[in-house]
Amino acid sequence: MASVEHAVERLIELYDAATARAAEIFAVGDYEAYREVTYPRLEVEVKQWRPIDRRAPFGYVDEAGRYGAELTKPHLLRGYLVEQLSSLTQNYPCEVYVGASETRIPPEYIRGLENVDEARRAGDLGDAVPRPSLDEVDDGIVDSNWEAFHAPVKPLFHFGPQRCDLACARIEHYTGIAPESLQKYILFTNYPMHTSEFVDFGLRQLGQPGSRYTELVLPNGQRATSPEQTVDKTSANQMPRYDLCTAVGDGISMINIGVGPSNAKTITDCLAVLRPEAWIMIGHCAGLDGRMRMGDLILGNAYQREDHVMDGCIPRDVPIPAVPEVQRALESSVNEIYGGDHSLMRTGTVLSTDDRNWEWHTTRELWDWLRGSTAVAVDMESCTLAANGYRYRVPYGTLLSVSDLPLHAVPKLPAQAQAFYSSSKEAHVMCAVRAMEYLAQDPERLRTRKLRRTIGEVPLR
């Protein structure tokens, strides 16, 4: 049995020792010894079930028993694991066990190993060195599969180790930065102008006395620690990421995810393994009400899912609830930035479509499509981000800016769009930033039971 802090440090020690051993093995070519390179395993035995505070959003189990998980890169989840295990062990009499698992770590997931591809082509690795396997990459636990929850040892964490390893690799591939500097509060956008405003804000913060921010990490790997530094805001990465960091990781990351629901699902599938506190979309949308004006803000409180990419994970007839804690933070930030001018913001349903040219239909077709809808705005990503947030138990929100009114003779055209972008981008970004800062002051307000399911839940958040 181990204390929570000791258990988490032991997980990190075991993982670091395994990856160091892998480097030694590849240096000398003794590949049969690779059988020693395994993921660490964490198990918690809940000795006795008892009623706990019914308001608790996590640290809860339905019954006594053994719960376990194989983990990778536990240093990325140090704070999360300590917090979650502390909650569980305070709620129930528990014993915590840490040791090596029997599952070997594919060398492709270990940073710094050289000549893996060459050794495989030469046939030197044999059976001792495993290949990355999609057989070990799935969301069976997250999606509450029967088999995952009816084994002798029940799942403790949402993901298996290779699922996490592949997600971390893809985060670095798409965003340009390794996952170590990712912050707990994440903003999504479609526009370089938003990331540019975010970088300017971050640099200003680095120069302010008493600022909680310590550095700004850019997708090219540059790390800015003072406002005088010259930085390159541009990026060739598919989804460039900008991390405005704090000492404890509760800063803000902004990611330009590009356009479309597929991109939104791709990046959130990966980010979820690092258990962020919240993510928010700050894109643009088409307004559906003729009383709207360019630049009006839409605070999404419901989601009409016409994006289709999530249909296999969460049926479309399953409602995706808004998260009131995020809604209140966004509303407060809009009031602050816009001086209490409530006419600029409207709360309502956001319709997300996978058809960028959705408005290119006959008037009759659009009428039939929208006549029963409660939507006030159309975009392409918000519903996907909300649905995947609900699926992965990550609080989510949407604050969109109206960029066109296609049903009311105001289509998005280059000249008008550029004028709109120029006048609205800073305020839009700052509304989302202020909301995240507000949430970071008291993350407990995000610890909600609203994202927990009736069945198929793991003890950890």
Side-chain angles (χ1 to χ4, degrees):
M1 179 178 176
S3 70
V4 165
E5 291 80 5
H6 177 73
V8 173
E9 292 307 315
R10 182 61 180 151
L11 286 168
I12 296 170
E13 290 172 5
L14 286 171
Y15 180 80
D16 290 347
T19 55
R21 180 69 177 127
E24 294 172 0
I25 290 167
F26 269 80
V28 301
D30 181 17
Y31 299 122
E32 279 300 312
Y34 200 90
R35 300 180 192 279
E36 305 167 17
V37 180
T38 61
Y39 291 108
R41 181 169 180 82
L42 171 67
E43 290 197 2
V44 177
E45 185 173 0
V46 178
K47 308 294 286 185
Q48 179 184 1
W49 187 92
R50 64 190 181 195
I52 64 170
D53 185 343
R54 61 188 179 86
R55 296 168 297 178
F58 48 80
Y60 170 83
V61 296
D62 289 318
E63 59 184 351
R66 206 167 182 96
Y67 296 79
E70 294 175 3
L71 298 170
T72 187
K73 300 178 175 62
H75 65 283
L76 293 178
L77 295 171
R78 177 189 273 111
Y80 167 85
L81 290 170
V82 169
E83 177 190 55
Q84 299 300 304
L85 289 173
S86 296
S87 175
L88 184 60
T89 56
Q90 289 165 11
N91 287 336
Y92 306 99
C94 295
E95 292 186 0
V96 180
Y97 303 92
V98 173
S101 74
E102 296 181 356
T103 304
R104 283 168 279 171
I105 307 172
E108 286 82 357
Y109 293 140
I110 299 176
R111 186 181 298 277
L113 286 190
E114 304 293 338
N115 303 321
V116 175
D117 291 341
E118 290 81 355
R120 286 205 190 280
R121 281 195 293 269
D124 296 336
L125 303 189
D127 296 331
V129 182
R131 292 179 178 273
S133 173
L134 290 181
D135 291 340
E136 305 298 326
V137 177
D138 62 65
D139 278 332
I141 299 173
V142 161
D143 291 330
S144 306
N145 287 359
W146 173 271
E147 292 79 7
F149 287 86
H150 292 81
V153 178
K154 299 176 179 62
L156 178 68
F157 185 53
H158 302 277
F159 306 98
Q162 284 205 47
R163 168 69 169 83
C164 294
D165 273 333
L166 184 55
C168 288
R170 288 188 173 175
I171 288 171
E172 184 169 359
H173 170 71
Y174 285 117
T175 71
I177 317 174
E180 276 75 6
S181 62
L182 183 81
Q183 299 298 288
K184 295 178 182 177
Y185 298 86
I186 303 173
L187 298 177
F188 298 117
T189 181
N190 311 115
Y191 294 98
M193 64 181 176
H194 285 160
T195 58
S196 180
E197 290 292 333
F198 182 71
V199 169
D200 289 343
F201 165 76
L203 291 173
R204 291 195 301 270
Q205 289 293 303
L206 295 177
Q208 292 186 8
S211 172
R212 73 191 193 100
Y213 299 109
T214 58
E215 66 175 348
L216 177 67
V217 184
L218 288 88
N220 60 6
Q222 184 179 4
R223 308 179 89 93
T225 56
S226 73
E228 290 78 24
Q229 283 185 244
T230 300
V231 300
D232 183 3
K233 301 178 184 179
T234 62
S235 173
N237 295 96
Q238 189 171 344
M239 299 183 191
R241 186 178 104 228
Y242 303 78
D243 297 333
L244 185 55
C245 303
T246 67
V248 295
D250 63 348
I252 305 171
S253 291
M254 178 178 278
I255 307 175
N256 180 353
I257 63 174
V259 176
S262 180
N263 281 5
K265 182 177 184 299
T266 295
I267 194 64
T268 49
D269 281 348
C270 298
L271 295 170
V273 305
L274 298 176
R275 309 315 297 147
E277 294 282 7
W279 58 50
I280 292 175
M281 180 69 196
I282 57 166
H284 291 162
C285 65
L288 297 181
D289 189 332
R291 292 164 292 187
M292 293 178 177
R293 293 295 179 266
M294 301 268 280
D296 283 359
L297 295 175
I298 304 297
L299 176 57
N301 71 345
Y303 300 93
Q304 182 176 337
R305 295 166 52 204
E306 304 275 351
D307 51 341
H308 303 297
V309 71
M310 293 293 300
D311 292 358
C313 303
I314 301 178
R316 288 174 61 193
D317 60 353
V318 172
I320 304 300
V323 181
E325 294 78 6
V326 177
Q327 301 293 99
R328 287 193 289 268
L330 286 168
E331 187 171 10
S332 296
S333 68
V334 171
N335 286 336
E336 175 189 341
I337 299 299
Y338 285 92
D341 185 355
H342 297 281
S343 68
L344 292 171
M345 188 179 74
R346 177 166 176 175
T347 301
T349 300
V350 175
L351 186 160
S352 291
T353 175
D354 56 359
D355 180 4
R356 175 58 190 88
N357 298 320
W358 61 270
E359 66 267 52
W360 294 8
H361 293 86
T362 67
T363 303
R364 173 62 184 271
E365 288 171 333
L366 290 172
W367 180 282
D368 288 342
W369 185 45
L370 295 172
R371 64 192 175 99
S373 175
T374 60
V376 299
V378 177
D379 83 338
M380 298 188 71
E381 299 84 20
S382 291
C383 289
T384 308
L385 295 170
N388 235 12
Y390 176 73
R391 179 178 174 228
Y392 289 124
R393 290 75 162 171
V394 176
Y396 47 85
T398 296
L399 184 68
L400 304 177
S401 184
V402 175
S403 60
D404 57 321
L405 297 154
L407 303 186
H408 304 282
V410 187
K412 184 181 287 188
L413 298 173
Q416 296 92 323
Q418 291 305 315
F420 158 69
Y421 295 158
S422 178
S423 64
S424 69
K425 58 185 179 181
E426 182 178 5
H428 192 186
V429 169
M430 289 312 303
C431 286
V433 167
R434 294 300 184 210
M436 287 304 206
E437 290 183 326
Y438 174 67
L439 292 169
Q441 291 174 7
D442 182 13
E444 285 299 319
R445 78 187 73 196
L446 284 168
R447 309 294 167 75
T448 172
R449 292 174 294 166
K450 301 175 184 69
L451 301 184
R452 305 293 277 187
R453 314 293 176 78
T454 303
I455 57 174
E457 281 293 352
V458 301
L460 307 190
R461 176 176 64 81

